[in-house]
């Protein structure tokens, strides 16, 4: 690290090569301010900066979370109201966000562009150290909470972005359990409080306490600054010192996380979560046991308990999970190792159990753990778990998230608690040690020490309660009504005036002179070359192969695709279920437990999915596929095909008990996904009213699929044989060589092994008759309202523009930025209090508008209706237009890992996207004018006029707006 020798403002604490991530690590301390610095110099062009603070909460008002939102609402150098949004709109960032954890708040940014990266660093440093919160109390009201009173005669309500976000979070039973767990396990330290904010306590937070929290914790002496990537580190550190850190003297900040004293005896707790009137209370309880595991500062425990999670709970046939299922305790078993806090804990959760099974639940859990400790854990399963995690650590594939960002978050798991930030990044020694001691009883001893002979434990039961959400909201309404009644006329008038003043503040744009203080690139700074689409059509053993030739660090990404058009309509949802069943039942040569071990001993994992690709050459048409995916080292590609052959041709589907278990677990997991992404489900459902492609997606993975799973689970006991026969028939039709193609991402050396290896599967599959069935679809605007126990709503309005004669243009990429971060952001988030808002327009002609954790419904739909008028009169400064262009390009230029690049090449090939289309789209973005945006008003009108509307959300809210829907019904019944 010779480049740091001239940094007199810093002292080097430690420096070394981190071979596991191919980077040079250096820990420093800023002498004057006491700021902690950790840098990783590497050849990665995707540069990352983060500043974090240790922020232990002392209550559940959500002050840390509200502050995380609020500091990004303007600062001394950049006084505009929302620099965060301006950066999203107008920078080439590859990541831009902020996150609140139970004990820390972090502000990471990333970019491949050096100038852009420097701009992002500057805005974020000023935001956290010199925020506008001291000058403008309305920031706290907007982002946190406020009393809202439209007129003196209106009902008084609470509103605020974080308040509504957490109402949404607390609507999930898993979140209720998680919150209760930390409260019970850690009654005496910060983890017992909800750092995100409990809606019941958020209104207790005062503006003064909010400011005090910033004064106390947001100081360089309490900061953790991280830099990663290919850059001049000396230049960056010099800039940090000169611009910010040198302005601060070191102070003592009391922020150390206190350790919870271990319990002498386990504790128990019971609580409730809300369900709708139409949901059953039977088999709907969560039974759980949670045990604290020492400290995050033990690198061996940190990895070993991830492996134990895999072995005991995650792998198909995992002993703890299987024993509970066999005993009829719960229909799904969850849990695992919760790290990222000073004192991690291990959870075992039986979902969809009965309350009176608590004693039996504990007996089974402790009995299985005792047996494993005494008789030994399956060594093949442990070694498979080790290989699985080592493969994941080495691959460092985090999708669109920069790996440098993930390293930065991981280093906090030790650094925040006084440990070496490189501790968990240097993983090889830990894996080598664990491989050595796996046969020496090491993991069995961990079970004894931490999961059996450890009284630091909590047993928690979470049971359903009908209409609890409505009761809570009624109590809040009564409380607010009583409060309003206690106010004088003058005080009521003042509240109404404050509400009006807040809305005026929100609607008033920042001065143009202030807007121009936000640094941004020019259009000339952006390359006109689109990202290359990589695919080459080949053939091996008579099977069409798409090769995506690129450097992959020796890992081959294999996808085998089977065209679903060989199935009649009524069988398509069964193909959706097969993606969850295959690999989770015995095969002719393996039990499903041994099958998983075999997979993870020899590969990075096997997965199955159902997906679709719109056919852009033929409007309204699409291709649906069943995908079998394997990640392998090049010399194991033959194993990849062999294991797929075993699963696809030799799975035993006659095990009635096992199929029942998988149906229940799949339905349970599908419900959790719906609860976590109701906005996406609502969009897919609304688009399915007019789009065959989306109708397919809904019936194989959306609300329609969930309805199918509920029906399957209900009917299975009476129709086992019929259902199993149907599944077998689907397998027979689907998995044939006539119906098969392969997509493979590797370099040339990796591809050389594929043609011979493909025989391991092709020779085992029947040829098939190739018969195809038409996809039957009748458009109909059903406009459904799906009622849940959620306290908030997810409102989707969707439509099509090509049917009205409009063509796709790159300007729609810019429109997405303008709407999502200007018009919708202002009206739905800033003014309406929704946590999120989004929009999008695709090449196939589909457009959508959606809200996330939204307190409103009808008002949100009205905001959508007014988009056309907004666009017709759209007029901004040229600088703003450039900003939108840059934001659009940022979305298009995300640097993806090889696996994703290969998937994008496959998608382009199957959809008919060619390089000329990519060039044309990019030119349309880079050359777009304000007039081009105004011209989109009629296109957007066509989308809105389609009239497809779907809402997932609060039962009472949907009931009160029934006239908006063609049909309202409960989303969940089981």
């Amino acid at each position: 690290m010779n480049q740091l020798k001239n940094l007199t403002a810093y002292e080097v604490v430690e420096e070394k090569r981190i071979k596991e991530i191919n980077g040079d690590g250096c820990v420093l301390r800023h002498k004057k301010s006491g700021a902690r610095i950790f840098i990783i110099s590497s050849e990665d062009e995707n540069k990352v900066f983060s500043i974090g603070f240790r922020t232990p909460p002392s209550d559940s008002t959500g002050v840390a979370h509200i502050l995380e939102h609020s500091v990004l609402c303007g600062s001394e150098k950049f006084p505009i109201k929302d620099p965060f949004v301006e950066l999203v709109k107008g920078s080439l960032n590859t990541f831009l966000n902020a996150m609140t954890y139970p004990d820390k708040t972090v502000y990471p940014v990333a970019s491949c562009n050096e100038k852009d990266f420097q701009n992002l660093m500057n805005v974020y440093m000023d935001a956290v150290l010199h925020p506008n919160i001291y000058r403008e109390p309305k920031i706290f009201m907007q982002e946190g909470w406020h009393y809202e009173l439209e007129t003196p005669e209106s009902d008084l309500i609470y509103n605020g972005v974080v308040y509504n976000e957490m109402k949404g979070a607390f609507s999930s039973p898993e979140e209720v359990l998680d919150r209760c767990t930390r409260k019970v396990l850690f009654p005496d330290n910060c983890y017992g409080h909800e750092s995100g904010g409990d809606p019941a306590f958020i209104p207790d937070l005062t503006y003064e306490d909010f400011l005090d929290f910033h004064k106390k914790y947001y100081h360089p002496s309490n900061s953790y600054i991280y830099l990663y990537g290919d850059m001049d580190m000396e230049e960056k550190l010099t800039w940090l010192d000169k611009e910010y850190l040198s302005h601060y003297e070191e102070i003592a900040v009391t922020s150390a996380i206190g350790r919870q004293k271990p319990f002498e005896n386990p504790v128990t707790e019971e609580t409730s979560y809300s369900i709708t009137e139409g949901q059953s209370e039977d088999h709907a309880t969560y039974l759980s046991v949670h045990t604290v595991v020492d400290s995050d500062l033990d690198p061996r425990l940190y990895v070993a308990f991830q492996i134990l999670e895999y072995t005991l709970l995650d792998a198909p046939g995992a002993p703890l999970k299987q024993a509970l299922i066999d005993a009829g305790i719960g229909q799904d078993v969850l849990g695992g190792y919760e790290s990222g806090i000073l004192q991690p804990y291990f959870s075992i959760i039986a979902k969809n159990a009965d309350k009176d099974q608590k004693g039996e639940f504990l007996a089974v859990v402790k009995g299985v753990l005792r047996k494993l400790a005494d008789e030994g854990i399956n060594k093949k399963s442990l070694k498979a778990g080790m290989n699985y995690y080592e493969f994941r650590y080495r691959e460092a594939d985090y999708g669109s998230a920069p790996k440098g960002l993930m390293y930065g978050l991981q280093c906090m798991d030790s650094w925040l608690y006084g440990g070496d930030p490189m501790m968990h990044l240097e993983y090889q020694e830990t894996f080598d040690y664990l491989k050595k001691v796996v046969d020496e009883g090491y993991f069995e001893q961990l079970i004894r020490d931490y999961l059996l002979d450890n009284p630091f434990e909590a047993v928690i039961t979470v049971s359903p309660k009908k209409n609890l959400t409505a009761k809570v909201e009624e109590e809040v309404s009564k409380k607010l009504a009583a409060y309003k009644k206690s106010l004088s006329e003058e005080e009521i008038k003042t509240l109404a005036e404050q509400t009006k003043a807040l809305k005026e503040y929100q609607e008033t744009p920042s001065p143009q002179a202030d807007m121009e203080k936000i640094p941004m690139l020019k259009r000339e700074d952006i390359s006109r070359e689109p990202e290359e689409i990589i695919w080459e059509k080949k053939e091996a053993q008579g099977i069409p192969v798409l090769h995506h030739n690129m450097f992959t660090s020796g890992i081959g990404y294999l996808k085998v695709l089977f065209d679903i058009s060989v199935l009649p309509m009524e069988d398509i949802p069964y193909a959706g279920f097969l993606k969850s069943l295959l690999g989770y039942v015995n095969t002719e040569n393996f039990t499903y437990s041994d099958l998983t071990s075999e997979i993870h001993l020899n590969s990075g994992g096997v997965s199955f999915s159902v997906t679709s690709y719109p056919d852009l050459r033929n409007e309204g048409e699409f291709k649906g596929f069943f995908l079998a995916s394997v990640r392998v080292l090049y010399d194991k590609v033959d194993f990849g095909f062999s294991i797929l052959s075993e699963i696809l041709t030799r799975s035993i589907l006659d095990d009635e008990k096992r199929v029942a278990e998988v149906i229940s677990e799949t339905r349970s997991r599908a419900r959790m996904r719906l609860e976590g992404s109701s906005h996406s489900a609502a969009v897919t459902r609304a688009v399915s009213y007019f789009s065959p492609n989306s109708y397919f997606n809904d019936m194989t993975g959306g609300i329609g699929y969930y309805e199918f799973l509920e029906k399957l689970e209900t009917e299975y006991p009476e129709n086992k044989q019929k259902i199993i026969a149907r599944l077998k028939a689907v397998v027979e039709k689907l998995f044939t060589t006539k119906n098969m193609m392969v997509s493979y991402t590797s370099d040339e050396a990796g591809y050389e092994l594929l043609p011979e290896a493909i025989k391991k599967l092709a020779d085992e599959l029947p040829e098939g008759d190739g018969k195809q069935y038409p996809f039957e679809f009748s458009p109909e605007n059903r406009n459904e309202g799906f009622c849940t126990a959620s306290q908030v709503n997810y409102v989707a309005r969707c439509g099509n523009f090509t049917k009205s004669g409009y063509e796709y243009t790159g300007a729609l990429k810019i429109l997405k930025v303008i709407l999502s971060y200007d018009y919708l952001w202002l009206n739905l988030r800033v003014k309406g209090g929704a946590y999120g808002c989004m929009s999008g327009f695709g090449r196939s002609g589909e457009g959508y508008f959606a809200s996330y954790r939204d307190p409103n419904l009808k008002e949100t739909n009205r905001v959508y209706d007014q988009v056309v008028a907004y666009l017709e009169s759209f007029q901004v400064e040229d600088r703003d237009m450039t900003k939108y262009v840059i934001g659009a390009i940022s979305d298009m230029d995300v640097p993806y890992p090889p696996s994703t690049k290969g998937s994008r090449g496959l998608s382009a090939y199957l959809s008919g996207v060619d390089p000329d289309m990519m060039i044309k789209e990019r030119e349309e973005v880079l050359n777009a004018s304000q007039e081009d945006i105004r011209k989109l008003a009629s296109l957007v009108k066509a989308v809105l006029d389609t009239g497809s509307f779907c809402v997932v959300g609060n039962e009472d809210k949907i009931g009160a707006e029934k006239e908006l829907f063609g049909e309202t019904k409960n989303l969940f019944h089981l």
Side-chain angles (χ1 to χ4, degrees), residues 410-479:
Q410 192 175 14
C411 80
M412 295 293 274
D413 288 355
S414 52
W415 198 19
L416 194 79
Y417 313 118
D420 180 354
M422 297 183 245
M423 178 185 292
H424 299 314
L425 300 177
E426 298 178 294
Y427 56 79
Q428 195 55 54
E429 187 181 321
T430 297
F431 277 106
D432 291 344
Y433 172 80
L434 294 176
K435 287 173 192 172
K436 191 178 76 175
V437 298
V438 67
D439 293 315
E440 298 171 12
Y442 174 82
F443 286 92
E444 288 80 359
Q445 193 60 45
L446 290 184
I447 290 177
R448 287 188 201 97
D449 291 346
Y450 294 108
L451 303 182
L452 284 169
D453 307 329
N454 177 11
F456 198 170
E457 180 177 276
V459 178
I460 298 173
T461 305
V462 185
S463 302
K465 195 167 183 179
K466 290 196 174 187
N467 298 320
L468 183 59
T469 296
K471 286 169 187 162
V472 168
E473 295 200 336
E474 188 181 345
E475 285 172 16
V476 171
S477 295
K478 282 180 180 175
K479 178 182 174 182

Side-chain angles (χ1 to χ4, degrees), residues 512-723:
Q512 188 63 28
D514 287 344
M515 297 288 281
E516 291 176 8
K517 291 176 182 176
I518 292 283
M520 60 179 273
L521 304 175
K522 299 183 176 72
R523 294 196 200 202
E524 307 86 79
D525 295 327
I526 300 169
S527 166
R528 290 196 168 260
E529 291 297 315
E531 183 193 355
E532 185 184 5
I533 302 173
I534 302 172
W535 61 263
E536 183 182 352
K537 195 170 180 181
K538 299 180 178 179
E539 189 178 285
Q541 313 298 335
I543 304 293
V545 177
L546 213 63
H547 181 216
H548 315 281
N549 186 357
M550 66 187 81
F551 176 73
T552 64
S553 302
I555 297 171
Y557 297 95
L558 172 66
K559 291 182 189 292
V560 183
L561 295 85
F562 298 94
D563 190 337
I564 283 180
S565 64
V566 298
L567 299 179
M569 283 288 288
E570 62 270 19
D571 283 347
I572 291 174
Y574 287 89
F577 175 59
L578 269 180
K579 70 179 183 279
S580 301
L581 186 64
L582 294 175
Y584 286 76
V585 293
N586 295 341
T587 68
E588 290 174 13
N589 296 307
F590 297 96
T591 66
Y592 55 88
S593 178
D594 286 342
L595 178 70
T596 304
S597 295
E598 189 71 12
I599 288 168
H600 288 131
L601 282 169
N602 292 282
S603 74
V606 172
S607 63
F608 301 98
S609 60
V610 172
T611 190
S612 67
Y613 303 91
D615 184 350
L616 299 173
R617 293 152 293 207
N618 298 288
E619 187 177 340
E621 295 188 17
F622 71 97
K623 296 182 178 73
F625 291 94
F626 186 99
L627 261 70
S629 305
V630 194
R631 297 176 177 222
V632 287
L633 298 175
Y634 288 164
D635 62 358
K636 289 280 189 178
V637 68
D638 59 339
F639 170 82
F641 283 109
S642 294
I643 206 70
L644 288 182
S645 175
E646 181 71 23
I647 295 169
L648 299 181
T649 69
R650 289 186 281 277
S651 284
I652 299 168
L653 303 180
D654 296 299
D655 186 340
E656 294 175 357
K657 175 179 175 289
R658 183 59 189 154
V659 172
E661 291 168 1
V662 177
I663 289 172
S664 292
E665 180 179 311
T666 303
R667 200 267 308 160
S668 165
R669 300 289 168 98
R671 175 173 170 167
M672 285 169 61
R673 280 194 301 276
L674 277 179
E675 288 173 327
S677 57
S678 295
H679 59 307
S680 298
V683 167
T684 300
R685 185 69 166 195
V687 178
S688 78
Y689 301 153
F690 60 84
S691 162
N693 188 3
S694 196
Y695 186 70
F696 174 89
N697 293 337
D698 184 68
M699 70 193 294
T700 56
I703 290 173
Y705 179 59
Y706 181 79
E707 291 174 332
F708 164 77
L709 290 173
E710 280 200 341
K711 189 167 183 278
L712 195 67
E713 187 169 358
T714 303
E715 294 180 353
Y716 185 79
E718 299 296 320
N719 296 293
K720 297 173 192 170
Q721 292 299 327
K722 200 181 284 184
I723 289 169

Side-chain angles (χ1 to χ4, degrees), residues 708-755:
F708 164 77
L709 290 173
E710 280 200 341
K711 189 167 183 278
L712 195 67
E713 187 169 358
T714 303
E715 294 180 353
Y716 185 79
E718 299 296 320
N719 296 293
K720 297 173 192 170
Q721 292 299 327
K722 200 181 284 184
I723 289 169
I724 287 172
R726 194 92 171 257
L727 288 166
K728 287 181 175 179
V730 168
V731 166
E732 200 174 301
K733 287 176 191 160
L734 193 55
F735 303 134
T736 69
T737 53
K738 258 191 180 172
N739 192 39
M740 168 182 163
M741 73 172 284
V742 169
S743 169
Y744 191 52
T745 305
S746 72
D747 59 20
E748 284 292 354
Y751 185 81
E752 285 174 9
L753 300 167
L754 184 126

Side-chain angles (χ1 to χ4, degrees), residues 180 184 268-272 355 358 459-463:
C180 185
V184 173
T268 60
E269 183 73 22
E270 293 188 6
T271 190
S272 302
K355 197 172 178 181
K358 185 170 88 169
V459 178
I460 298 173
T461 305
V462 185
S463 302

Side-chain angles (χ1 to χ4, degrees), residues 77-338:
K77 278 188 191 175
F78 311 106
I80 64 167
K81 289 190 294 186
D82 219 332
F84 171 77
V85 175
E86 295 306 307
L87 288 174
V88 173
K89 286 188 294 194
S91 96
L92 290 174
N93 73 83
T94 54
F95 189 88
L96 181 77
N97 214 331
M99 294 90 93
T100 303
Y101 293 91
D103 53 16
K104 60 186 172 286
T105 311
V106 295
Y107 298 85
V109 294
S111 180
C112 297
N113 182 288
E114 168 60 34
K115 186 176 172 185
D116 187 52
F117 181 69
Q118 185 64 47
N119 293 343
L120 294 169
M121 281 180 63
N122 197 6
V123 174
Y124 261 47
M125 282 299 292
D126 204 58
V128 297
L129 295 177
H130 313 134
N132 274 351
I133 56 174
Y134 294 95
R135 293 183 287 279
E136 184 47 83
K138 294 186 187 73
I139 294 172
F140 167 71
M141 295 168 66
Q142 172 182 291
E143 298 298 322
W145 76 276
H146 62 273
Y147 289 116
E148 191 158 297
L149 192 66
E150 291 287 348
T151 68
E153 295 73 39
S154 303
D155 290 336
L156 186 65
I157 62 168
Y158 293 129
N159 204 351
V161 173
V162 168
Y163 179 75
N164 291 319
E165 177 187 349
M166 297 312 294
K167 280 175 75 177
F170 274 60
S171 296
S172 154
E174 286 79 19
E175 289 280 356
V176 172
L177 173 58
D178 183 58
R179 164 82 187 93
C180 185
T181 300
R182 284 184 279 112
K183 187 177 178 182
V184 173
L185 281 177
F186 305 107
D188 306 316
N189 73 2
C190 68
Y191 302 128
H193 305 295
E194 178 50 65
S195 62
D198 183 331
F201 299 109
I202 288 172
D204 294 339
L205 180 64
T206 67
Y207 178 55
E208 291 70 31
D209 288 343
F210 165 76
L211 296 181
D212 286 344
F213 196 87
H214 183 268
K215 285 174 194 164
K216 181 173 183 180
Y217 293 122
Y218 279 60
H219 188 284
S221 300
N222 188 45
S223 70
Y224 297 79
I225 297 172
Y226 168 78
L227 283 161
Y228 164 91
D230 185 4
M231 68 187 94
D232 185 334
M233 290 293 181
E234 184 170 332
E235 178 201 322
K236 292 286 177 279
L237 291 171
T238 301
W239 175 85
L240 275 169
D241 167 60
K242 182 182 171 190
E243 291 294 319
Y244 292 101
L245 300 181
S246 64
H247 300 231
Y248 292 85
E249 298 289 341
E250 184 172 7
I251 62 169
V253 180
T254 310
S255 66
I257 313 299
R259 289 180 71 95
Q260 172 66 47
K261 184 182 175 187
F263 301 161
E264 293 182 4
N265 296 292
V267 297
T268 60
E269 183 73 22
E270 293 188 6
T271 190
S272 302
Y273 72 93
S274 183
I275 59 174
T276 62
E277 186 63 46
Q279 286 175 253
S280 171
E281 293 176 317
D282 297 335
H283 315 305
T285 291
Y286 289 66
L287 301 172
S288 64
V289 58
H290 315 265
T291 316
V292 175
V293 180
D294 198 27
S295 160
D296 240 10
L297 290 171
D298 185 325
R300 290 173 179 173
L301 284 183
Y302 184 85
V303 174
F305 266 92
Q306 292 176 55
I307 294 163
L308 272 180
E309 174 186 332
Y310 167 91
T311 306
L312 299 178
L313 288 170
D314 289 349
L320 258 182
K321 179 178 186 175
Q322 197 60 49
L324 287 166
I325 296 292
D326 288 345
I329 303 170
Q331 296 167 332
D332 191 7
V333 177
L334 313 166
Y337 182 56
E338 298 291 334

